[in-house]
Each structure stands twice: as C-alpha cells, then as structure tokens.
Amino acid sequence: MGVDIYGPDDKKVGDVTEVILDKTGKIEMVTVGVGGFLGIGERNVAYPFDQVSMQANADGSDVRAYVGTAAAE
C-alpha cells in the first residue's frame, strides 16, 4: 500500500491504494490511485498482479513498481 507505480515511460502513474487477494491469500490484483490532486478527483484502476513488476537499484535502497514493460527493458 502506498508504493509508487510507474508506467513504461518511467513516469509515475499513481500509488497502490489496495491489494486484492484470492481465496488462498495470493495477490490477485492491485488498485492504483491515478489522476487528481491531493486525493481530489483521483480514481482507482485495477491491475492484475502479474502485470506489475518490481525493480530495485543495485544496493536495494530504492524499489519501484512498474505496470507495462519498463522494468523488463
């Protein structure tokens, strides 16, 4: 929750507002708050968890989550 999500262009899309689990406790989807300003006008968009990838810098101090293909490039 609260993790910043970036798109293929390496620009921030939004942040994780909710994590949705299946019956077995496996993460199925994440909702991302997009648009708006200071929470006004923001809308939630659901992404299947298999479309979210994580990428860390060399020392692991910065981890980013991506939707799309940016982390795979």
Side-chain angles (χ1 to χ4, degrees):
M1 302 280 289
V3 173
D4 291 337
I5 301 287
Y6 295 85
D9 57 0
D10 209 30
K11 291 186 180 176
K12 183 178 172 185
V13 173
D15 53 21
V16 175
T17 57
E18 189 173 358
V19 176
I20 300 168
L21 307 174
D22 67 10
K23 292 179 182 179
T24 65
K26 181 180 171 190
I27 299 174
E28 189 170 273
M29 301 191 80
V30 295
T31 61
V32 178
V34 298
F37 181 71
L38 298 177
I40 299 171
E42 182 177 85
R43 60 187 168 91
N44 289 322
V45 177
Y47 288 98
F49 190 64
D50 62 359
Q51 292 182 11
V52 178
S53 57
M54 306 295 246
Q55 183 177 18
N57 63 357
D59 66 3
S61 63
D62 181 36
V63 177
R64 287 186 169 198
Y66 288 89
V67 291
T69 59
E73 294 176 352

